[in-house]
RNA sequence: GUCCCCAUCGUCUAGGGGUCAGGACUCGGGAUUUUCGAUCCCGCAGCAGGGGUUCGAAUCCCCUUGGGGACACCA
């Protein structure tokens, strides 16, 4: 096993060499960013920041058939939204550019040539039909998963079975072909995974992976190894779905004579029903099947989740600060400080929307009121409440903040701060507005009318006095007043609410409501 | 099927030989005689099973079971 690296503020020591940490997020641009992908990006980012290293975005767009227009732009905008700004990536220049694999094909071909020359790889001319036929034969022989490896490569149409002359001829005639990795029999490959510890693979379990496709583009396996080496990536942090292809990558590093980077394979994130989070689950619009959860980060952005809440939540899905640290709520900076790969869990996690929503609320609570004011001001305009003074809005927000699960709920929940209520909660009206209500409201209105300083404390005092004078409880007044003034039965503390609304508004609304109550009682 | 990974409350997890197995979300209850999806307090609920090792296992080892991943000219 490789010796454990020692980290310092500026990188880490491998042996006695100080290296700058360089990690990459390397998604294929499919047009949407998966929750799991965002977490992978986040862990890479946190690791880079923690160790003073570089966070690199590399676009793995070597599959021309899956090319999606605008996908890269979308990807970058999601990362920016989340605050995970790459230090290098599309648009950067310098020694490591370009960051689109589709623009690096020459490189892969050049390195493939090296493998060909050393005998680590070979040409294969099998047509898809021929491979399918071989697969059929294997199936009939009772082997449902054929491997193109030592078991059959000598029966196939490849350069291992051709004379030099025949090979040259085939190449000259432009016969379509791929380049395959020659996987030796009976080798063991071991990776010291940062999260899982040592994992050993037998080479007989892997196949002669295609490295270069017939269209001249590389496969993931080749491109990822070449680029990670050329870009001087020190730590490959990616999803567990890649763990089983590690031996192929290890063999490639070995064949090139390169030192492989350290590797960390992250646990997967699942639906509540234990299945893999899939884009297919949401394709039939809106309605999510039971037990499924939306994997598309863009959906959460659209629904108005706080970016810090999402980051916080997915960070906790597979990682925790441990060591008696019970914190649940983190912002990005706090995560950077607390994060370490050693504390990433091995087992898969289930995505729990309820906890995300709770965190969303916690993050709204922690947000700066001025920033929220700026954000919500336009929403009020859209909702038709017109111009609202910033300082008034800020006071409303301060009052409403702690009962907001989504900023998007604000207008719906706080409309009565900006316009007189037009409707009144019927159930609450039946319960709270009774025969003696108007009499109490009238007394209360009269009392606050005379109030010089309309403060919460003064209002409360007045209300208690009225209650006492009528030999009744505060609730007998509080509930009807809240309903009369706001139209609803829930909200912040009544006295603060009334103070903020102002005497004039409160009196106006009370008067109007008393008319309604009179009709209702009659 | 083969290889690989994983396994503590419903969920996220702490704990890595001796703990009343801790916290968070959810849920339930209570308090706040002012509501609430707010706040505070309380509670329900867990070491998958079986073998070892040991004076002693949630903790170490093995097996079983269960879950997951990979097995493409996709990443």
């Amino acid at each position: 096993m490789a010796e454990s690296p020692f980290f310092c503020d500026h990188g880490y020591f491998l042996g006695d060499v100080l290296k700058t940490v360089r990690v990459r997020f390397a998604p294929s641009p499919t047009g949407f960013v998966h929750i799991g992908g965002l977490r992978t990006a986040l862990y890479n980012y946190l690791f880079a920041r923690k160790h003073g290293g570089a966070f690199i975005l590399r676009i793995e767009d070597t599959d021309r058939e899956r090319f999606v227009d605008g996908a890269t732009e979308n990807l970058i905008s999601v990362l920016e939204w989340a605050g995970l700004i790459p230090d290098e990536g599309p648009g950067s220049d310098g020694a490591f550019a370009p960051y689109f694999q589709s623009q690096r094909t020459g490189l892969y071909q050049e390195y493939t040539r090296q493998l060909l020359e050393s005998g680590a790889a070979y040409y294969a001319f099998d047509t898809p039909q021929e491979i399918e036929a071989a697969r059929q034969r294997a199936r009939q022989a009772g082997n449902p998963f054929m491997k193109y490896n030592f078991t059959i490569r000598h029966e196939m149409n490849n350069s291992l079975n051709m004379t030099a002359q025949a090979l040259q001829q085939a190449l000259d005639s432009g016969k379509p072909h791929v380049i395959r990795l020659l996987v030796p029999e009976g080798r063991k490959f071991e990776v010291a995974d940062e999260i899982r510890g040592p994992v050993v693979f037998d080479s007989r379990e892997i196949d002669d992976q295609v490295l270069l496709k017939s269209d001249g583009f590389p496969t993931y396996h080749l491109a990822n190894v070449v680029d990670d080496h050329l870009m001087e990536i020190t730590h490959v942090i990616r999803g567990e779905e890649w763990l089983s292809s590690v031996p192929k990558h290890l063999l490639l590093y070995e064949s090139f004579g390169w030192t492989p980077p350290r590797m960390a394979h992250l646990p997967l994130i699942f639906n509540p029903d234990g299945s893999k989070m899939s884009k297919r689950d949401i394709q039939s619009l809106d309605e999510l099947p039971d037990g499924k959860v939306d994997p598309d980060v863009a959906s959460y952005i659209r629904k108005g989740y706080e970016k810090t809440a999402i980051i916080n939540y997915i960070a906790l899905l597979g990682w925790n600060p441990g060591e008696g640290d019970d914190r649940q709520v983190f912002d990005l900076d706090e995560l950077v400080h607390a994060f370490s790969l050693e504390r990433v869990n091995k087992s898969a996690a289930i995505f729990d929307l309820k906890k995300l929503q709770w965190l969303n609320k916690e993050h709204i609570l922690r947000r700066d009121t001025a920033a929220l004011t700026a954000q919500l001001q336009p929403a009020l305009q859209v909702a038709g409440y017109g111009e609202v003074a910033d300082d008034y809005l800020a006071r409303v927000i301060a009052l409403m903040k702690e009962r907001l699960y989504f900023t998007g709920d604000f207008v719906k929940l706080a409309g009565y701060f900006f316009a007189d209520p037009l409707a009144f909660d019927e159930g609450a009206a039946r319960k709270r507005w009774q025969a003696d209500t108007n009499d109490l409201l009238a007394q209360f209105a009269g009392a606050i009318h005379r109030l010089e300083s309309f403060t919460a404390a003064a209002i409360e005092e007045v209300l208690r006095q009225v209650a006492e004078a009528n030999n009744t409880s505060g609730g007998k007044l509080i509930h009807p007043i809240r309903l009369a003034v706001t139209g609803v039965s829930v909200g912040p503390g009544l006295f603060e609410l009334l103070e903020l609304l102002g005497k004039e508004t409160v009196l106006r609304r009370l008067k109007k409501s008393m008319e309604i109550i009179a009709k209702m009682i009659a």
Side-chain angles (χ1 to χ4, degrees), chain A residues 249-440:
Chain A
H249 304 163
L250 256 21
L251 176 57
L252 278 169
Y253 281 107
E254 181 185 298
S255 303
F256 282 124
W258 298 337
T259 305
R262 302 189 68 86
M263 294 179 180
H265 289 88
L266 308 174
L268 268 18
I269 301 175
F270 291 135
N271 278 312
D273 67 4
S275 62
K276 202 176 170 183
M277 283 172 81
S278 167
K279 192 183 175 185
R280 283 193 304 275
D281 293 335
I282 54 158
Q283 276 173 345
S284 55
L285 251 37
D286 302 336
E287 277 306 300
L288 227 47
D290 240 24
K292 308 290 187 198
V293 104
D294 195 333
D296 188 355
V297 176
S299 301
Y300 296 87
I301 299 176
R302 249 183 278 117
K303 285 173 190 153
Y305 279 93
E306 301 296 307
K307 67 187 86 181
T308 53
I310 293 190
I311 291 293
N312 188 168
Y313 181 63
I314 62 177
L316 255 21
L317 235 35
W319 169 89
N320 73 83
E323 281 155 10
D325 189 342
D326 271 354
R327 281 179 296 167
Q328 304 287 328
V329 184
F330 293 85
D331 64 26
L332 196 52
D333 275 341
E334 291 168 330
L335 286 173
V336 168
H337 289 294
F339 187 78
S340 78
L341 228 35
E342 296 82 66
R343 294 214 59 90
V344 173
N345 272 68
K346 293 188 189 47
S347 51
I350 286 173
F351 192 94
D352 178 16
L353 210 54
K354 282 280 174 42
K355 183 149 186 186
L356 204 211
Q357 287 167 354
W358 171 76
L359 274 173
N360 203 59
K361 173 188 174 319
E362 292 297 313
H363 280 266
I364 289 174
L365 191 58
R366 283 164 175 73
R367 276 188 63 180
D368 181 55
T369 298
L372 273 172
T373 304
Q375 180 191 330
L376 291 171
Q377 186 64 265
L380 284 176
Q381 308 278 330
V382 170
Y385 289 105
E387 286 291 322
V388 174
D390 273 345
D391 59 339
Y392 178 71
L393 177 54
R395 292 180 67 193
V396 175
I397 288 170
L399 220 48
M400 292 298 294
K401 223 177 173 182
E402 73 175 329
R403 55 197 78 222
L404 234 42
Y405 270 76
F406 290 94
T407 51
D409 291 343
F410 178 74
V411 172
K412 185 180 72 200
L413 257 39
Y416 56 78
F417 281 106
F418 313 107
D420 292 357
L422 298 171
F424 298 84
D425 185 298
E426 278 185 45
R430 266 196 303 278
K431 185 174 175 192
R432 304 298 189 189
W433 287 350
Q434 293 172 353
D436 59 344
T437 300
N438 264 357
D439 180 34
L440 290 168

Side-chain angles (χ1 to χ4, degrees), chain A residues 24 58 114-115 120 181 187 189 191 211 220-236 238 245-263:
Chain A
R24 85 297 196 277
R58 187 173 70 219
Q114 232 181 73
L115 258 20
L181 180 64
R187 283 283 314 277
F189 291 99
V191 58
L211 301 176
Y220 170 82
H221 305 285
L222 203 227
N224 133 309
V225 165
V226 168
D227 287 345
D228 284 345
H229 175 73
L230 260 25
M231 294 181 179
E232 297 177 16
I233 299 302
T234 57
H235 298 254
V236 169
R238 81 246 277 192
S245 46
V246 164
K248 291 171 184 173
H249 304 163
L250 256 21
L251 176 57
L252 278 169
Y253 281 107
E254 181 185 298
S255 303
F256 282 124
W258 298 337
T259 305
R262 302 189 68 86
M263 294 179 180

Side-chain angles (χ1 to χ4, degrees), chain A residues 6 42 95 149 163 183 213 244-245 261 268 280 297 306 360 410 460 471 479 496:
Chain A
F6 172 73
L42 173 64
N149 63 3
T163 62
V183 178
K213 301 182 247 184
S244 45
S245 46
L268 268 18
R280 283 193 304 275
V297 176
E306 301 296 307
N360 203 59
F410 178 74
E460 175 161 14
N471 198 21
H479 298 295
E496 290 77 17

